[in-house]
Amino acid sequence: MAVQTVESTTDTDDATPTASPASPVDLGPATALSCRECGHRVPLGPVFACEECFGPLEIAYDFSAYDTEELRQRIEAGPANIWRYAPLLPVPADVADKPNINPGWTKLVKADNLARELGVTGGLYVKDDSGNPTHSFKDRVVAQAIEAARAFGFTTLSCSSTGNLAGAVGAAAARAGFRSCVFIPHDLEQGKVVMAAVYGGELVGIEGNYDDVNRFCSELIGDPAGEGWGFVNVNLRPYYAEGSKTLAYEICEQLGWRLPDQIVVPIASGSQLTKIDKGLQELIGLGLVEDKPYKIFGAQAEGCSPVSTAYKAGHDVVRPQKPNTIAKSLAIGNPADGPYVLDIARRTGGAVEDVTDEQVVDAIKLLARTEGIFAETAGGVTVGVTRKLIENGVLDPSLTTVVLNTGDGLKTLDAVAGTGLTATIRPNLDSFREAGLA
Amino acid sequence: MAVQTVESTTDTDDATPTASPASPVDLGPATALSCRECGHRVPLGPVFACEECFGPLEIAYDFSAYDTEELRQRIEAGPANIWRYAPLLPVPADVADKPNINPGWTKLVKADNLARELGVTGGLYVKDDSGNPTHSFKDRVVAQAIEAARAFGFTTLSCSSTGNLAGAVGAAAARAGFRSCVFIPHDLEQGKVVMAAVYGGELVGIEGNYDDVNRFCSELIGDPAGEGWGFVNVNLRPYYAEGSKTLAYEICEQLGWRLPDQIVVPIASGSQLTKIDKGLQELIGLGLVEDKPYKIFGAQAEGCSPVSTAYKAGHDVVRPQKPNTIAKSLAIGNPADGPYVLDIARRTGGAVEDVTDEQVVDAIKLLARTEGIFAETAGGVTVGVTRKLIENGVLDPSLTTVVLNTGDGLKTLDAVAGTGLTATIRPNLDSFREAGLA
């Protein structure tokens, strides 16, 4: 992947890279980009890799002016979407007034029926992100990328995708008034193509696989043809990724400003899990929740389990795998944030586990049958891993536990295609009785 | 359809039908069932047709104890779902604590891009009910039926359905702890069967068409085999239908406790439109909004336009049609509330209009392209009718207008199956440039 160094988006002197520069753009409390590896700081800009060590850049904030109770009241008085947390995100203070897809504030469902089935006594919750505008958690991260793109003067939004992200980018770009140009493998299933195409942006099929699509996007970023283009998951990635913090914020606020004891999070690139940890740490640091131990558990499908494999082997690095699982939204064989996930799981006393595709399907049905929530395969992975971790004595059923469902079953209908009619009868009572339904 | 007279669900004397009886069940402010035609009152119970004149029964309320500002504050402090309006619905005061699917408080999207395309200058909003738990407005009505079923001691929830309702009943029954048994035509598309079956209830295919399914359900209600069964859209219909009032409540509250000038509502049975009018009238009566004129417009697909046809012909009665349209969720050829819809459209100065299937598809794409909202065909009908009414000078573009989207495009993908890739290229910049994308 091409590494970009900082380029100013304005002509002011402020944009010259320094250790802790004044920002040339208004992204609220965000003050700089900071390397996760070496701590090197650069001004806010459309860059994602450290010029010193090639480490990933993250947003650095200045939260020092906040009074805890004032901040809490400001959040609680905010809109019923992620912008209630604008003071903690790289967005301008008036973000809620700008055209955006406004995701978030999805339901935290108290899953008492599922808790009974799994033997959880400490309170079990499902954070159900299928309630987002395009029905996946990707709306959260894309909404952030939109505001960064606006700040940097980009006019086209782009990404490489095999599904959820394409729809999220298409929808958000349409609402926010950006041109969009999304790249996908040319031979995707027709349903996924329709879902991505309906928003009217450019949808370009690449003759090749997902790796070819990604390689092409990296090439395009470095070319004049890609000028003015914001790739949400490449050159806007530091901003984009921060959207996942809102999952942590919402869970804690919906629990009554309380940390859960245990959270089960799906792992694709691993970014979501690391940002949930970052969000929890911020809430503790700001005094919005009482500090206490929490455990973060990572969930993978066996057919794409590089992080789980490394965790079980006691490794610090993640060996890439070739994905082969029905949980396609998690099928990243070489997860960029894998090492950070390992670190967080071990530091918090959590774990990383995986389940088979059969267990994924069983878990989708279990969640639907008990709570009326129809999850994407990724939700089957987290529920399935939760069940496995309880059975193995790793997850403590007496503690408050939150399980993430990050997507919608309507997008992965094939996974449960075997589900069908329980009976077929003629339209009369005799036939009804014969079928044993009375 | 079989007409049932009142049967007490308890052994108390209170349940004897009288003009204005004390209710044997706690359904909050609901005091009785009242005939829409003759005003005859019976106690709250699982009945739907007047024993005197066979007219439809509606819920009668006692709102007399409410102080306007106290009520407003109570609503605003309530949960982010329909139960914030519990004081105005046939549900117990503690409804939010009971297991239910908790729909509602969906987004009212300020559709500035769509407004520009349509020339609306007075403010255009889309009430986007695809944000409900199973992604259609049916969650609102089923959530009400659940509470009525609980109050009447039913243990099985049932319905006849060809799609959205089956999923809504399956999901809500699972969450709320009811057995469910849903009847559908045996030859529905596999995708719809999967969506309805995944929640694990009984899903029974009936050898016959939708009319056969309905007839069978009416037979079952009158038979001992159907004892203890709540059919959400038959014997629980008066309660179920009230769920649509919450659309009116939410629209007004989200507009800042203000009536819109114009609302465009889809017509299937017509129940939703009549209940939206009822909800608006209640808000006016309670002083929660300032009284002023509003116009309600009904929207149908040309291939199933019995109400629109009657409206244009100046008739008071609706002649049944055999439906033939892609807008299947609106394809009721003999709409029970058709005459009431005609009355409301005329009384408020609105209209009823219809659009072709081609216009429906165009409107789905228009809404997706401008606002990033992927609507079901029913949403294509309302947006398409809005456009047509503006073009014909019937809908005033200088007034505040709300258009309903009652479902999700993911459930009617076939309607836009022609949408696809804008280009296919090889994974290199030359190919990108050749395609004219740079």
Side-chain angles (χ1 to χ4, degrees):
Chain A
M1 204 179 265
V3 173
Q4 291 197 298
T5 53
V6 176
E7 289 182 309
S8 167
T9 58
T10 73
D11 292 328
T12 68
D13 290 339
D14 291 353
T16 312
T18 63
S20 186
S23 169
V25 294
D26 174 16
L27 288 173
T31 55
L33 293 171
S34 168
C35 176
R36 179 149 187 157
E37 288 295 330
C38 74
H40 179 67
R41 283 192 168 216
V42 295
L44 296 169
V47 288
F48 59 100
C50 178
E51 58 195 344
E52 299 287 328
C53 77
F54 297 169
L57 295 175
E58 286 195 317
I59 312 289
Y61 297 94
D62 179 4
F63 295 154
S64 60
Y66 294 147
D67 171 84
T68 302
E69 290 315 311
E70 271 175 25
L71 178 60
R72 193 194 310 276
Q73 283 165 27
R74 187 170 153 195
I75 291 169
E76 289 177 351
N81 58 51
I82 57 171
W83 304 132
R84 63 199 286 115
Y85 306 108
L88 307 178
L89 295 169
V91 294
D94 63 347
V95 62
D97 300 329
K98 295 176 187 290
N100 200 316
I101 204 85
N102 303 335
W105 203 242
T106 56
K107 291 181 196 300
L108 183 70
V109 175
K110 183 117 195 300
D112 291 339
N113 300 329
L114 180 61
R116 268 191 297 277
E117 294 254 356
L118 298 183
V120 176
T121 55
L124 181 63
Y125 298 83
V126 175
K127 180 62 174 170
D128 185 14
D129 249 18
S130 67
N132 277 317
T134 72
H135 307 321
S136 90
F137 100 98
K138 291 288 185 190
D139 290 325
R140 296 179 184 271
V141 287
V142 170
Q144 300 291 326
I146 287 269
E147 295 309 321
R150 217 190 301 269
F152 300 137
F154 289 139
T155 50
T156 298
L157 273 189
S158 186
C159 69
S160 53
S161 172
T162 63
N164 281 333
L165 185 57
V169 167
R175 175 81 58 81
F178 288 78
R179 175 183 177 236
S180 71
C181 186
V182 167
F183 298 96
I184 60 175
H186 71 118
D187 56 357
L188 274 195
E189 304 93 302
Q190 177 62 13
K192 286 193 180 164
V193 173
V194 169
M195 281 183 227
V198 73
Y199 301 104
E202 306 274 353
L203 184 69
V204 179
I206 299 277
E207 291 172 2
N209 60 25
Y210 184 61
D211 287 336
D212 294 318
V213 178
N214 266 328
R215 257 191 306 273
F216 169 74
C217 286
S218 296
E219 217 184 321
L220 185 53
I221 290 174
D223 189 87
E227 213 166 298
W229 289 43
F231 288 79
V232 301
N233 53 349
V234 188
N235 59 354
L236 296 176
R237 188 169 186 85
Y239 310 90
Y240 167 91
E242 293 292 284
S244 292
K245 291 196 310 180
T246 59
L247 280 162
Y249 301 155
E250 290 182 16
I251 288 167
C252 290
E253 185 179 353
Q254 290 170 323
L255 286 174
W257 293 109
R258 198 164 56 82
L259 289 168
D261 299 316
Q262 305 175 128
I263 311 186
V264 184
V265 182
I267 301 171
S269 72
S271 168
Q272 185 184 68
L273 189 146
T274 65
K275 295 301 178 183
I276 286 175
D277 181 58
K278 187 182 182 191
L280 297 177
Q281 290 296 324
E282 286 174 352
L283 294 185
I284 293 169
L286 288 159
L288 287 167
V289 297
E290 199 179 323
D291 193 6
K292 72 170 185 67
Y294 61 84
K295 297 179 180 183
I296 300 188
F297 297 85
Q300 297 208 293
E302 190 183 83
C304 182
S305 53
V307 188
S308 155
T309 302
Y311 176 83
K312 291 174 186 176
H315 294 162
D316 291 332
V317 293
V318 172
R319 185 175 303 172
Q321 291 184 0
K322 196 168 151 54
N324 178 22
T325 168
I326 57 169
K328 293 196 195 303
S329 63
L330 303 182
I332 296 184
N334 188 13
D337 286 335
Y340 303 124
V341 168
L342 292 170
D343 179 54
I344 290 166
R346 288 175 179 139
R347 172 168 53 75
T348 66
V352 186
E353 187 52 274
D354 57 82
V355 283
T356 65
D357 282 1
E358 195 184 341
Q359 289 170 317
V360 171
V361 173
D362 283 351
I364 290 173
K365 292 181 185 171
L366 174 65
L367 182 61
R369 174 168 62 78
T370 52
E371 301 298 337
I373 296 171
F374 184 19
E376 214 212 281
T377 43
V381 169
T382 50
V383 172
V385 161
T386 303
R387 175 153 65 178
K388 188 170 175 180
L389 289 170
I390 291 170
E391 285 167 3
N392 294 349
V394 179
L395 195 137
D396 185 342
S398 73
L399 299 178
T400 303
T401 304
V402 176
V403 181
L404 264 60
N405 172 40
T406 52
D408 202 294
L410 290 181
K411 295 193 187 182
T412 56
L413 278 177
D414 286 352
V416 288
T419 315
L421 297 173
T422 44
T424 303
I425 64 172
R426 294 180 304 284
N428 61 59
L429 290 168
D430 284 346
S431 183
F432 178 75
R433 289 196 181 88
E434 278 163 26
L437 292 161
Chain B
M1 206 178 263
V3 174
Q4 291 196 300
T5 53
V6 177
E7 289 183 308
S8 167
T9 57
T10 74
D11 293 326
T12 68
D13 290 339
D14 290 351
T16 311
T18 63
S20 185
S23 169
V25 293
D26 174 14
L27 287 173
T31 55
L33 294 170
S34 167
C35 176
R36 178 148 189 159
E37 288 296 330
C38 74
H40 179 67
R41 283 192 168 216
V42 295
L44 296 169
V47 290
F48 58 98
C50 177
E51 59 195 343
E52 300 287 326
C53 76
F54 297 170
L57 295 175
E58 285 196 318
I59 312 287
Y61 297 95
D62 180 4
F63 295 154
S64 61
Y66 294 146
D67 171 84
T68 302
E69 289 316 311
E70 270 175 24
L71 178 59
R72 193 194 310 277
Q73 284 165 27
R74 186 169 154 194
I75 290 169
E76 288 177 351
N81 58 51
I82 58 171
W83 304 133
R84 65 200 285 112
Y85 306 108
L88 307 178
L89 295 170
V91 294
D94 64 347
V95 63
D97 300 329
K98 296 176 188 287
N100 201 317
I101 204 86
N102 303 336
W105 204 239
T106 56
K107 291 180 196 300
L108 183 71
V109 175
K110 183 114 192 303
D112 290 339
N113 300 330
L114 180 61
R116 268 191 297 277
E117 294 255 358
L118 298 183
V120 176
T121 56
L124 180 63
Y125 298 83
V126 175
K127 179 63 174 170
D128 186 12
D129 249 17
S130 68
N132 277 317
T134 72
H135 308 321
S136 91
F137 100 96
K138 291 289 184 189
D139 290 325
R140 296 178 184 271
V141 287
V142 170
Q144 299 292 327
I146 287 269
E147 295 308 322
R150 218 190 300 269
F152 299 137
F154 289 139
T155 51
T156 298
L157 273 189
S158 186
C159 70
S160 52
S161 172
T162 62
N164 281 334
L165 185 57
V169 167
R175 176 80 58 82
F178 288 77
R179 176 182 176 236
S180 71
C181 186
V182 168
F183 298 96
I184 59 175
H186 72 116
D187 54 358
L188 274 196
E189 304 94 302
Q190 178 61 14
K192 288 194 178 161
V193 173
V194 169
M195 282 184 226
V198 73
Y199 302 103
E202 307 273 353
L203 183 69
V204 179
I206 299 277
E207 291 173 3
N209 60 24
Y210 185 61
D211 287 336
D212 294 318
V213 178
N214 265 329
R215 257 192 306 273
F216 169 74
C217 287
S218 296
E219 217 186 321
L220 185 53
I221 290 174
D223 190 88
E227 213 166 297
W229 288 42
F231 287 79
V232 301
N233 53 349
V234 188
N235 58 354
L236 297 176
R237 189 168 186 85
Y239 310 90
Y240 166 91
E242 293 292 284
S244 291
K245 291 196 310 179
T246 60
L247 279 162
Y249 301 155
E250 290 182 16
I251 288 168
C252 290
E253 184 178 354
Q254 289 170 325
L255 285 174
W257 293 109
R258 197 166 57 83
L259 289 169
D261 299 317
Q262 304 174 126
I263 311 186
V264 185
V265 182
I267 301 171
S269 73
S271 167
Q272 185 184 69
L273 188 146
T274 65
K275 295 302 178 182
I276 285 175
D277 181 58
K278 187 181 182 191
L280 297 177
Q281 289 297 323
E282 287 173 352
L283 294 185
I284 294 169
L286 288 159
L288 287 167
V289 296
E290 199 180 322
D291 193 4
K292 73 171 185 64
Y294 60 84
K295 297 179 181 183
I296 300 189
F297 297 84
Q300 297 207 292
E302 189 183 85
C304 182
S305 53
V307 187
S308 157
T309 302
Y311 175 83
K312 291 174 185 175
H315 294 162
D316 290 333
V317 293
V318 172
R319 187 175 301 171
Q321 289 184 358
K322 195 169 151 50
N324 179 22
T325 168
I326 58 169
K328 292 196 195 304
S329 63
L330 303 181
I332 297 184
N334 188 13
D337 287 334
Y340 303 124
V341 167
L342 291 170
D343 179 54
I344 291 166
R346 288 174 180 141
R347 171 168 54 75
T348 65
V352 186
E353 187 51 273
D354 56 83
V355 282
T356 65
D357 282 1
E358 196 184 340
Q359 290 170 317
V360 171
V361 172
D362 284 349
I364 290 173
K365 291 180 186 171
L366 174 65
L367 182 61
R369 174 168 62 77
T370 53
E371 300 298 339
I373 296 171
F374 184 20
E376 213 212 282
T377 44
V381 169
T382 50
V383 171
V385 161
T386 302
R387 174 152 67 176
K388 187 170 176 180
L389 289 170
I390 291 170
E391 285 167 3
N392 294 350
V394 179
L395 195 136
D396 185 342
S398 73
L399 298 177
T400 303
T401 304
V402 176
V403 180
L404 264 60
N405 172 39
T406 52
D408 201 293
L410 290 181
K411 295 192 186 183
T412 56
L413 279 177
D414 287 350
V416 288
T419 316
L421 296 174
T422 45
T424 302
I425 64 171
R426 295 180 303 284
N428 61 59
L429 290 167
D430 284 347
S431 183
F432 178 76
R433 290 197 181 86
E434 278 163 27
L437 292 161

